[in-house]
């Protein structure tokens, strides 16, 4: 059942939140091989479920009251380990809830636990986690994508009906695509980043991994909105996303980005995406091909901007204010060196070094400033495109899920996995990935990108597609 269906069943008295919660905790127990969770919180879950049942009995339940959820381990959770997938924070019990966690709890959602992720959200395969790789429920030899791979695996295997994620360069949409889920990344500023451990502050955005667009609409409505504790959260009213799901696709102007269909796009993926575009045409949409000439520069631009911001954000993890501290330091410098040396993994160190380099006095203009200028050009390309079309569509990833171990030793190949997703982050745009087929038995995602604050339009398009197709209902055979 989707989260929406569970919510309806709870309010109709078909089952209780305690029963539903117990069901998911048992599934989590039996799926340890996926390594989807870093922490499971059964006591807190049963308590939450009990209060949700009481709230529903009083007739005060909303659409998500009593529905379980898993949170990516990047969101601070009061009294619960919040590791960001890093040894550095393997001793960090957060003293407060992130705004996202707080708002979903206020909606009555039941927290099952914290999901595995790439270390500090740096990765596309969930192999950089200190807690070990996550496996794809569709094929355990394959990656689930990253960095929100634990959340994706958990929802795909139905260990949780829905989960939170974060997307800095694709980390919700890419794992969503690779595991057959709806992965929704809102407009930058739509959802508060308060209590969400920072990777690259100008790109990070919280969102949802779900079974359907309807679920994404419900969860997004509950977590979005202005938060005075995050100065980049925008004070724009949150629409009733679920109410807008029925919008017709008739007359929708879809732009197809030419640059997304070139070299590197695997055949089966391209075929499934083109078939989906035909499907939208059949629903009355019009399709025009567009070029966004600066978009191919998004990967190199991102890999200057994101490491620059991360090198600054991660400087707080020094073994004093936060994080792992090495045993018996000789002096202060030794403590910094060894604490950070032991606490961070290879990918995080690579990013910190790259970021420090591009921000250094001698190279700032050549790299960081240049990247910011290219970022503006990419922004302008999108802006121009949205003068002509309502949404942009294309593949979410170049290929379906790849084998665990296949790209870990080749960072550039790994980085290229996000070639279609990063543009939306650089421009702060909302984007969603929806399942649109299978290639060699593995899920393929269709990406839909919209102008700022067009969440409603994206959700309606995703929902319309899911009314016409069954791809989002397909379960990994081993977990059906
Ligand atoms: N894969 C990209 C990276 O490694 C994006 C990660 C993300 O969106 N958090 O940086």
């Amino acid at each position: 059942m989707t989260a929406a269906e569970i919510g309806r069943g709870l309010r109709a008295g078909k089952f209780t939140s305690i029963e539903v919660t117990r069901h998911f905790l048992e599934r989590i127990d039996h799926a340890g091989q996926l390594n989807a969770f870093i922490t499971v919180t059964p006591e807190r879950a049963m308590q939450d479920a009990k209060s949700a049942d009481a709230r529903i009995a009083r007739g005060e339940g909303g659409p998500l009251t009593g529905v379980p959820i898993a949170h990516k381990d990047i969101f601070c959770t009061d009294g619960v380990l919040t590791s960001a997938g890093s040894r550095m924070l393997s001793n960090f019990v957060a003293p407060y809830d992130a705004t996202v966690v707080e708002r979903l709890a206020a909606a009555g959602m039941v927290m099952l636990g914290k999901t595995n992720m790439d270390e500090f959200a740096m990765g596309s395969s969930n192999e950089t986690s200190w807690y070990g790789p996550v496996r794809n429920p569709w094929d355990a030899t394959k990656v689930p994508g990253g960095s929100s791979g634990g959340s994706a695996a958990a929802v795909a295997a139905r260990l949780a009906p829905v989960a939170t994620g974060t997307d800095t360069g694709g980390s919700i949409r890419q794992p969503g695509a690779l595991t057959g889920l709806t992965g929704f990344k809102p407009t930058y500023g739509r959802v508060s980043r308060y209590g969400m451990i920072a990777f690259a502050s100008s790109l990070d955005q919280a969102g949802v991994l779900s079974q359907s667009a309807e679920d994404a609409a419900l969860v997004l409505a509950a977590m979005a909105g202005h938060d005075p504790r995050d100065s980049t959260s925008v004070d724009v009213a949150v629409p009733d996303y679920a109410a807008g799901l029925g919008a017709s696709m008739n007359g929708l102007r879809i732009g197809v980005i030419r640059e997304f269909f070139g070299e590197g796009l695997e055949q089966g993926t391209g075929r499934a995406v083109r078939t989906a575009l035909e499907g939208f045409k059949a629903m009355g949409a019009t399709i025009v091909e567009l070029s966004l000439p600066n978009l191919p520069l998004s990967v190199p631009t991102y890999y200057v901007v994101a490491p620059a911001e991360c090198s600054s954000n991660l400087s707080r993890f020094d073994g004093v204010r936060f994080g792992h501290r090495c045993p018996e330091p000789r002096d202060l410098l030794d403590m910094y060196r060894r604490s950070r040396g032991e606490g961070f993994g290879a990918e995080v160190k690579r990013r910190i070094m790259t970021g420090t380099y591009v921000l250094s006095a001698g190279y700032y203009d050549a790299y960081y400033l240049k990247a910011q200028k290219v970022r503006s050009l990419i922004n302008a390309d999108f802006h121009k495109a949205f003068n002509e079309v309502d949404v942009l569509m294309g593949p979410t990833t170049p290929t379906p899920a790849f084998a665990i171990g296949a790209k870990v030793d080749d960072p550039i190949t790994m980085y290229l996995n996000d070639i279609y997703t990063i543009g939306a982050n650089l421009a702060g745009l909302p984007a969603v990935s929806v399942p649109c087929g299978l290639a060699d038995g593995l899920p393929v995602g269709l990406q839909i990108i919209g102008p700022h604050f067009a969440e409603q339009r994206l959700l309606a398009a995703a929902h319309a597609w899911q009314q016409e197709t069954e791809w989002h209902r397909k379960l990994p055979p081993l977990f059906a």
Side-chain angles (χ1 to χ4, degrees):
M1 282 188 185
T2 65
E5 287 162 356
I6 293 173
R8 286 192 278 269
L10 287 166
R11 273 167 293 135
K14 289 198 181 128
F15 37 75
T16 65
S17 179
I18 296 237
E19 287 167 335
V20 173
T21 303
R22 202 170 279 141
H23 164 83
F24 284 107
L25 289 171
E26 274 166 23
R27 281 186 77 88
I28 294 171
D29 250 3
H30 289 116
Q33 76 278 16
L34 293 177
N35 201 21
F37 281 82
I38 290 174
T39 306
V40 186
T41 52
E43 292 86 17
R44 177 158 165 174
M46 293 315 282
Q47 261 170 28
D48 287 358
K50 202 170 149 199
S51 8
D53 281 333
R55 190 163 153 186
I56 294 166
R58 291 194 303 270
E60 291 164 10
L64 295 172
T65 307
V67 179
I69 187 164
H71 290 305
K72 184 176 183 178
D73 208 21
I74 200 166
F75 292 102
C76 285
T77 40
D78 193 4
V80 177
L81 175 71
T82 300
S83 74
S86 183
R87 180 178 183 198
M88 181 56 92
L89 289 181
S90 57
N91 61 4
F92 177 61
V93 175
Y96 65 95
D97 278 337
T99 299
V100 164
V101 172
E102 189 181 270
R103 290 195 176 171
L104 294 174
M109 297 201 85
V110 173
M111 178 174 104
L112 295 169
K114 308 289 296 291
T115 58
N116 203 344
M117 55 179 283
D118 278 303
E119 186 177 4
F120 286 105
M122 298 171 198
S124 309
S125 65
N126 224 296
E127 293 170 287
T128 71
S129 171
W130 162 251
Y131 295 89
V134 177
R135 294 180 181 276
N136 191 323
W138 289 83
D139 176 347
T141 68
K142 300 280 196 310
V143 305
S147 64
S148 312
S151 287
V155 180
R158 305 301 189 257
L159 314 184
V162 64
T164 52
T166 60
D167 193 314
T168 303
S171 281
I172 291 175
R173 290 160 286 157
Q174 187 257 14
L178 270 40
T179 58
L181 299 177
T182 303
F184 198 95
K185 173 223 173 287
T187 307
Y188 181 81
R190 178 70 294 187
V191 177
S192 168
R193 291 185 295 113
Y194 181 77
M196 190 174 109
I197 294 169
F199 162 12
S201 309
S202 77
L203 302 158
D204 296 343
Q205 181 56 209
V208 195
L209 284 136
S210 62
Q211 300 169 50
S212 68
E214 184 187 20
D215 283 4
L218 292 174
V219 176
L220 182 62
M223 67 198 251
H226 181 239
D227 177 4
R229 294 174 297 188
D230 170 8
S231 61
T232 62
S233 87
V234 181
D235 199 356
V236 171
V238 180
D240 181 349
Y241 294 123
L245 287 178
S248 161
M249 294 297 102
N250 207 8
L252 184 80
R253 296 170 305 165
I254 299 173
V256 172
I257 307 174
R258 194 173 301 136
E259 286 77 9
F260 280 9
F261 287 85
E263 204 192 327
L265 179 62
E266 183 265 339
Q267 261 191 359
T269 304
R271 202 176 308 126
V273 171
R274 282 193 197 91
T275 308
L277 292 170
E278 289 305 314
F280 274 93
K281 225 164 152 179
M283 289 188 265
T286 56
I287 303 213
V288 291
E289 206 180 281
L290 292 173
S291 176
L292 277 75
N294 294 297
L295 208 51
L297 297 173
S298 52
V299 172
T301 305
Y302 173 89
Y303 279 99
V304 173
V305 173
E309 293 184 19
C310 107
S311 71
S312 163
N313 274 326
L314 270 57
S315 64
R316 72 186 60 146
F317 302 113
D318 57 6
V320 179
R321 289 168 294 179
F322 294 98
H324 167 81
R325 181 183 298 181
C326 70
E328 296 170 39
R330 276 193 319 278
D331 52 32
L332 187 63
L333 195 59
D334 182 51
M335 186 192 67
Y336 285 152
R337 279 193 180 138
R338 275 171 45 224
S339 297
R340 288 170 67 82
E342 293 166 9
F344 292 135
E347 184 59 29
V348 172
K349 287 176 185 162
R350 182 179 295 128
R351 307 270 180 123
I352 292 174
M353 287 190 283
T354 311
T356 308
Y357 180 79
V358 301
L359 289 175
S360 61
Y363 293 101
Y364 184 93
D365 288 354
Y367 293 106
Y368 184 69
L369 202 63
K370 180 69 137 281
Q372 293 292 26
K373 288 179 181 168
V374 180
R375 185 176 184 176
S376 294
L377 294 176
I378 292 170
N379 228 320
D381 275 4
F382 276 113
H383 198 77
K384 201 164 143 237
F386 287 125
N387 283 331
E388 288 172 45
V389 297
D390 302 311
V391 295
L392 292 164
M393 288 193 192
T396 307
T397 59
T399 68
F402 47 92
I404 292 178
K407 300 187 184 185
V408 268
D409 297 325
D410 185 356
I412 303 283
T413 310
M414 186 70 93
Y415 296 170
L416 285 173
N417 224 270
D418 300 314
I419 191 155
Y420 306 140
T421 48
I422 280 176
N425 299 81
L426 289 170
L429 302 169
V432 60
S433 178
V434 284
C436 71
L438 294 175
D440 293 328
L442 293 169
V444 174
L446 167 76
Q447 185 179 204
I448 316 175
I449 308 174
H452 293 127
F453 296 100
E455 277 79 10
Q456 185 82 80
R457 196 183 298 164
L458 298 188
L459 289 163
H463 183 70
W465 170 248
Q466 293 178 348
Q467 297 305 105
E468 297 288 320
T469 56
E470 288 293 313
W471 297 114
H472 64 295
R473 291 261 172 209
K474 295 243 181 299
L475 277 159
L478 281 174
F479 293 88

